[in-house]
Amino acid sequence: GSHDSFSYWVDDKSPVGPDQATAIKRLARISLVRKIIKKWSVTQNLTFKEQLEGGIRYFDLRVSSKPGEIGQEIYFIHGLFGIKVWDGLKEMNSFLEKHPKEVIFLDFNHFYAMDDSHHHFLINRIHSAFESKLCCVECVEYVTLLYMWEKKHQVLTFYHHPLYQEYPFLWPGNKMPAPWANTTNVHKLLQFLETTLGERSRYGTFHVSQAILTPRVKTIARHLVRGLKNTLVHR
């Protein structure tokens, strides 16, 4: 799996996203500040196609509308706006067309600046991109690779919003728990991962282990120019 899966590219010329604090939005009117935010927003350097070719099958997705933009277009977001969700979904579908036995997990777990009309627009995009490849909600234990191949399904979509109930191909977010250590300390992260592995539900859900360090405000303040990769990732 990959974390903030889309953020191989974010637009440092666009306004800061609605996932950021008001103070950051004010500061980000300065071009240099947006460049620094970009250093802390990009979590990998591979496109969806390259991630899929490299073996990534679980995608952690955070999405937003662009406040003030006409229409209901939805974008990936992490501090700054990324590509249109529609473009990412099409790229994934092209890979699945060529590899009919591959299965991917799409975890839509954070939504910003979205009302119900935005959600319906996004959900229709998901359906348009994958159509019959979408696996409807089922008892988790039944969903083996053999089951997916027999049904010609390739996509499990988890949607952390009550509207999932209106669409049979959207799995509830609680079927994909992803406990988060929220630490910059490697030892604490490893302890957390060991503990949450032991606490996993034996039946009824999938599960994510977030093996990542998370910067705090003071981490970013101390290492502004170094960015996420040089400050935390190598460690």
Side-chain angles (χ1 to χ4, degrees):
S2 60
H3 176 66
D4 286 310
S5 303
F6 55 87
S7 62
Y8 54 86
W9 179 84
V10 289
D11 185 3
D12 60 9
K13 294 181 174 58
S14 77
V16 170
D19 59 336
Q20 294 300 299
T22 305
I24 301 287
K25 290 176 189 170
R26 288 191 187 124
L27 277 172
R29 291 171 187 158
I30 305 164
S31 172
L32 177 62
V33 172
R34 289 199 299 275
K35 284 184 167 43
I36 290 169
I37 291 171
K38 182 173 182 175
K39 282 199 165 196
W40 289 91
S41 296
V42 172
T43 54
Q44 65 272 318
N45 57 11
L46 300 179
T47 66
F48 280 131
K49 180 173 181 282
E50 289 166 337
Q51 288 183 55
L52 285 160
E53 287 171 347
I56 297 296
R57 294 294 177 267
Y58 165 86
F59 294 88
D60 165 38
L61 307 172
R62 296 128 196 265
V63 298
S64 177
S65 71
K66 271 190 185 174
E69 183 178 86
I70 296 169
Q72 294 170 309
E73 196 62 70
I74 304 297
Y75 298 82
F76 294 119
I77 192 168
H78 189 218
L80 298 163
F81 286 99
I83 65 170
K84 291 177 182 176
V85 172
W86 177 239
D87 292 337
L89 298 179
K90 286 192 297 183
E91 197 173 334
M92 290 178 175
N93 189 57
S94 295
F95 176 86
L96 295 175
E97 290 281 337
K98 293 173 189 162
H99 304 279
K101 284 198 163 185
E102 293 297 338
V103 173
I104 63 172
F105 297 81
L106 305 182
D107 191 359
F108 288 88
N109 53 54
H110 285 70
F111 304 97
Y112 300 95
M114 288 175 62
D115 58 25
D116 281 2
S117 66
H118 288 109
H119 280 284
H120 288 301
F121 177 86
L122 172 59
I123 293 164
N124 286 329
R125 287 294 214 193
I126 294 167
H127 189 259
S128 297
F130 301 115
E131 296 182 339
S132 63
K133 293 185 185 73
L134 290 160
C135 176
C136 289
V137 179
E138 182 54 271
C139 172
V140 166
E141 280 69 38
Y142 294 167
V143 186
T144 62
L145 279 174
L146 191 59
Y147 172 92
M148 297 291 280
W149 295 338
E150 285 172 351
K151 302 272 187 186
K152 294 188 165 47
H153 294 329
Q154 293 182 266
V155 184
L156 292 99
T157 306
F158 299 82
Y159 207 80
H160 297 241
H161 186 278
L163 276 174
Y164 80 84
Q165 297 170 76
E166 296 182 22
Y167 298 87
F169 58 85
L170 295 181
W171 291 62
N174 63 13
K175 293 290 184 187
M176 185 63 85
W180 173 45
N182 192 15
T183 182
T184 58
N185 182 293
V186 176
H187 179 66
K188 284 181 182 174
L189 172 65
L190 294 175
Q191 276 189 321
F192 178 85
L193 291 170
E194 289 286 354
T195 302
T196 50
L197 272 172
E199 292 173 348
R200 280 186 183 188
S201 173
R202 286 174 177 263
Y203 303 103
T205 73
F206 296 95
H207 191 97
V208 178
S209 287
Q210 293 202 49
I212 53 161
L213 297 173
T214 305
R216 302 181 189 284
V217 173
K218 66 180 181 183
T219 316
I220 296 171
R222 286 174 185 162
H223 306 281
L224 268 183
V225 182
R226 292 189 74 205
L228 181 67
K229 185 175 180 181
N230 291 326
T231 306
L232 291 183
V233 176
H234 295 306
R235 198 197 316 170

